[in-house]
Amino acid sequence: WGSAFDRITTFGAASFEHIGGTLVFNHGRQHYEGWGDPGHSLTVRGFAPGSGGPHLFQVLAGNGAGPIETGITCGVKRLQVIAESSGSIVAEGYVFMPHLGDWAEWRNSSFVSATLDASETYRIGIDDDLRSINMSGFEHYTRYTAGSGGNAPFGRVNIAELKVLRLVP
């Protein structure tokens, strides 16, 4: 990622436009808590990559909704990269944030990849769609009671950062 990690761009929670959740500082980080219900979103606007080519996107998240040996309420969110000049979706995928057993634990999510143009600016959005559902949304797990979950799907996670990682120097 470069000698001074110069190929990583990080956006902290305070820089997100948000719908839903509350910006707080607890569990050792500033983040959106109570975030991740249907209709909630986090957005970063005006990202200029500085260099074109392949990039990876991921979030730093906490998911204390259950113990690490289960996954019923694993965080599953859609991440979109949108060219601001045209409004076209450049990349779309899902980031997964498994249980960590404690809301004070923080880990990086899985990646979404995109090929970016150095002359473009991008909007990066994180939200739900019909496919970003975990096992708590399935009838089989309606009676799940080992942590969060139960009579309705549970998709909340705490998100502290969005990271953009440039793959080539």
Side-chain angles (χ1 to χ4, degrees), residues 11-68:
F11 298 93
S15 66
F16 300 160
E17 292 177 20
H18 77 101
I19 296 173
T22 304
L23 184 63
V24 299
F25 189 99
N26 60 27
H27 307 302
R29 293 186 179 272
Q30 188 172 38
H31 63 277
Y32 278 93
E33 185 172 83
W35 182 88
D37 291 340
H40 288 185
S41 65
L42 299 173
T43 305
V44 170
R45 294 181 188 275
F47 170 62
S51 178
H55 288 70
L56 297 174
F57 295 79
Q58 72 178 166
V59 297
L60 179 66
N63 185 349
I68 61 171

Side-chain angles (χ1 to χ4, degrees), residues 2 41-43 53 58 60 64 66 69-70 91-93 116 130 149-151 155 157:
S41 65
L42 299 173
T43 305
Q58 72 178 166
L60 179 66
E69 69 272 6
T70 69
E92 178 177 49
L116 304 181
L130 293 176
N151 294 325
V157 291

Side-chain angles (χ1 to χ4, degrees), residues 1 8 21-22 28 35 47 55 64 73-74 140 142-143 145-146 153 158 160 169:
W1 304 118
I8 300 173
T22 304
W35 182 88
F47 170 62
H55 288 70
T73 52
C74 173
H140 176 76
T142 299
R143 298 184 62 180
T145 59
N158 292 341

Side-chain angles (χ1 to χ4, degrees), residues 87-159:
S88 63
I89 298 171
V90 173
E92 178 177 49
Y94 297 90
V95 289
F96 303 98
M97 298 151 281
H99 292 165
L100 300 171
D102 185 332
W103 288 104
E105 285 289 320
W106 297 93
R107 297 284 186 270
N108 290 314
S109 71
S110 59
F111 298 105
V112 171
S113 64
T115 300
L116 304 181
D117 181 335
S119 64
E120 180 66 78
T121 58
Y122 297 92
R123 179 174 75 239
I124 305 148
I126 306 163
D127 64 6
D128 279 318
D129 69 359
L130 293 176
R131 293 183 178 165
S132 56
I133 190 165
N134 60 31
M135 291 187 291
S136 72
F138 296 102
E139 187 175 338
H140 176 76
Y141 293 102
T142 299
R143 298 184 62 180
Y144 173 70
T145 59
S148 298
N151 294 325
F154 183 89
R156 289 184 174 181
V157 291
N158 292 341
I159 295 185

